[in-house]
Amino acid sequence: LTRDAAMKRFPKLNPDARYVACYYDSFMPYPERICLELLEDGEAAHEQAHALNYVSLSGGKGDSVEIRDELTGETYTVKPRILINAAGPWIDFANDAIGKQSHYIGGTKGSHIIVDHPELFAALDNTEFFFENKDGRIVLILPYVDGRVMIGTTDIRIDNPDDAVCNETEIDYFLEMVDRVFPTIKLDRSHIVFSFSGVRPLVSSEAGFTGNVSRDHHIKIDEPTADIRFPILSLIGGKWTSYRAFAEQTADVVLARLGRPRRCSTSGMRIGGGKDYPHDDATRAAWLVALEEKTGVDVERLNTLFERYGTRTTAMAEFMAQGDSDAPLASKPNYTRRELVYLVRTERAIHLDDVVLRRTLMAWLGGFTDAVLREVADIVAAELQWTPEQKAEEIARAAKILSERNHVKLAEPVV
């Protein structure tokens, strides 16, 4: 688009922009849920596949590794034929745990903020702005869920991924870059409802400019030694946009080493709630009406669930139609009690923060108060049979995480 055409479509755009080019790409609003559904699909694919939540690699020697249950402290010994280290930015930490010193990762931190700003959301016209900032970095302003806007990202070297949080300097960077693109829109810290920060598992590099560090992926293979008698495959690099290709490449290497043929392919395979997904609006509407007739759950409610869970809504709606009557949360009525019970019961939530940060977007979009946290805690506590002391600990844990790592300040103090 020429400048005139761009300004006509995006009137709030900085008139100094010379051209705007449009292209189509994928959008992943729920990456935590996609990760969860990939794990569940992997388990369903073979009876000997097990995804263990809150389990860490705690040691290793000879032909064995030790894994630790982080909830009970119990340890278990496993004798692998091959160890695949897919710990992302924690790869070197995992290798160190079994006595294999490595320096494969040179991770960089990428932070984002989510803001509640209707004027900015409208200015985007349902389009992500993907551009080069004045420092040469590629950054983004993205229309997100429920009218929110996601802004990112930074690229800062970091040694320990556990230390990754969005800091005040990064927030300044985001506010300045929005002002650069939309100079008449006033955005400040009061509009921030959430922040998050992750670490890219990039290859260790001496490049001075982090943007020059390769985003490609590869497998680093450490062959057996006298001390560790099994090969270790460390998966270096990669990101969401390439994970399926990287997984297939890794599987091919493992199958070749085991002398096994490939029996299936993930090419064209649907994931989780994408299975049997309606292809157009008419098919989707008919699908929702049929599910309403089957379960008695109102079609408007089903549509909300479908936006969150895709075709997994079928099993959820059937569950919601059984047993106790369902009801919206008093503090957050776009969620219901049996919806949360279903997630806890079927998706192996352990902590309160699992539910509000990784099974749902409850804490991501604003309006997350102490009342919401406590009402959700009541539901989760009843399902997981927490004692009053455990529930209080979980509330305090979640509040601390939200405050320190996500810029979520609860409306009332948590005692």
Side-chain angles (χ1 to χ4, degrees):
L1 302 176
T2 63
R3 179 171 58 187
D4 288 346
M7 292 303 300
K8 184 176 181 180
R9 180 175 175 188
F10 306 106
K12 300 281 182 151
L13 180 64
N14 190 330
D16 291 340
R18 296 183 180 181
Y19 298 95
V20 170
C22 296
Y23 73 101
Y24 290 90
D25 206 341
S26 56
F27 174 42
M28 186 182 288
Y30 300 95
E32 283 76 11
R33 289 209 56 81
I34 292 178
C35 179
L36 173 76
E37 293 179 13
L38 283 167
L39 291 170
E40 293 185 338
D41 287 353
E43 286 189 311
H46 200 284
E47 67 276 4
Q48 293 188 47
H50 304 288
L52 305 178
N53 202 10
Y54 288 98
V55 170
S56 63
L57 181 64
S58 58
K61 188 176 182 181
D63 63 353
S64 302
V65 294
E66 186 178 83
I67 59 175
R68 180 178 184 273
D69 184 331
E70 296 294 342
L71 302 176
T72 66
E74 294 180 84
T75 59
Y76 304 87
T77 299
V78 178
K79 296 186 176 183
R81 294 176 63 181
I82 297 175
L83 180 66
I84 303 172
N85 183 350
W90 291 273
I91 278 175
D92 292 323
F93 292 81
N95 283 337
D96 289 349
I98 58 175
K100 172 61 185 176
Q101 302 297 314
S102 67
H103 186 58
Y104 298 146
I105 299 298
T108 66
K109 178 178 69 163
S111 296
H112 304 73
I113 57 174
I114 294 176
V115 302
D116 183 1
H117 197 299
E119 183 186 8
L120 178 59
F121 184 83
L124 297 172
D125 191 25
N126 200 35
T127 303
E128 175 186 1
F129 274 66
F130 192 64
F131 58 98
E132 182 179 296
N133 204 12
K134 59 185 178 182
D135 60 357
R137 292 202 58 259
I138 300 299
V139 291
L140 61 91
I141 307 173
L142 169 74
Y144 195 51
V145 177
D146 287 353
R148 307 301 187 257
V149 178
M150 181 184 293
I151 302 167
T153 176
T154 50
D155 199 5
I156 302 168
R157 292 188 185 276
I158 188 170
D159 294 324
N160 187 341
D162 289 331
D163 296 334
V165 295
C166 180
N167 62 37
E168 294 301 318
T169 300
E170 291 173 291
I171 291 175
D172 288 337
Y173 180 84
F174 296 142
L175 297 178
E176 289 170 6
M177 82 184 209
V178 173
D179 182 65
R180 181 170 181 247
V181 180
F182 298 106
T184 64
I185 294 178
K186 303 308 175 186
L187 179 70
D188 59 44
R189 280 172 166 76
S190 69
H191 296 106
I192 299 173
V193 297
F194 192 81
S195 73
F196 65 99
S197 189
V199 177
R200 305 172 184 88
L202 305 181
V203 63
S204 179
S205 169
E206 298 300 321
F209 178 52
T210 53
N212 290 335
V213 180
S214 172
R215 265 54 175 172
D216 290 343
H217 61 257
H218 68 277
I219 304 171
K220 175 65 178 178
I221 301 177
D222 287 293
E223 300 293 354
T225 65
D227 294 326
I228 302 175
R229 297 196 292 274
F230 47 82
I232 303 172
L233 278 58
S234 296
L235 309 190
I236 314 298
K239 54 197 300 184
W240 273 116
T241 46
S242 59
Y243 79 88
R244 296 188 81 167
F246 200 4
E248 183 173 315
Q249 176 186 345
T250 304
D252 286 341
V253 171
V254 171
L255 290 170
R257 284 178 167 259
L258 295 177
R260 301 283 186 88
R262 174 178 281 282
R263 296 190 299 179
C264 65
S265 171
T266 61
S267 179
M269 181 182 291
R270 302 298 182 96
I271 298 166
K275 296 184 179 75
D276 302 318
Y277 197 89
H279 292 287
D280 53 52
D281 290 344
T283 306
R284 169 174 167 164
W287 187 90
L288 291 170
V289 168
L291 188 56
E292 179 186 38
E293 292 173 351
K294 180 180 179 182
T295 63
V297 179
D298 178 77
V299 71
E300 184 176 344
R301 179 68 189 150
L302 291 175
N303 188 62
T304 298
L305 297 175
F306 185 84
E307 288 291 327
R308 293 172 181 164
Y309 311 110
T311 54
R312 290 163 68 101
T313 298
T314 297
M316 177 174 283
E318 291 172 348
F319 175 81
M320 292 166 69
Q322 300 168 359
D324 299 334
S325 60
D326 199 10
L329 301 191
S331 59
K332 206 166 187 64
N334 60 336
Y335 285 88
T336 68
R337 297 182 63 83
R338 285 188 67 77
E339 176 184 356
L340 297 187
V341 168
Y342 179 86
L343 295 176
V344 174
R345 190 171 296 182
T346 65
E347 296 185 350
R348 288 173 288 193
I350 300 296
H351 290 294
L352 184 56
D353 51 283
D354 289 334
V355 177
V356 301
L357 286 171
R358 288 176 290 281
R359 304 303 186 273
T360 72
L361 292 179
M362 296 185 79
W364 288 59
L365 304 175
F368 194 83
T369 65
D370 181 65
V372 180
L373 185 62
R374 289 180 179 277
E375 187 173 8
V376 175
D378 289 341
I379 295 168
V380 178
E383 185 62 25
L384 297 183
Q385 299 182 327
W386 288 340
T387 65
E389 293 75 20
Q390 286 176 306
K391 184 171 74 170
E393 290 172 0
E394 288 291 332
I395 291 172
R397 169 193 162 100
K400 186 173 188 292
I401 291 170
L402 290 166
S403 173
E404 295 180 357
R405 306 192 72 86
N406 304 118
H407 280 81
V408 176
K409 306 300 183 184
L410 299 181
E412 303 169 23
V414 174
V415 178

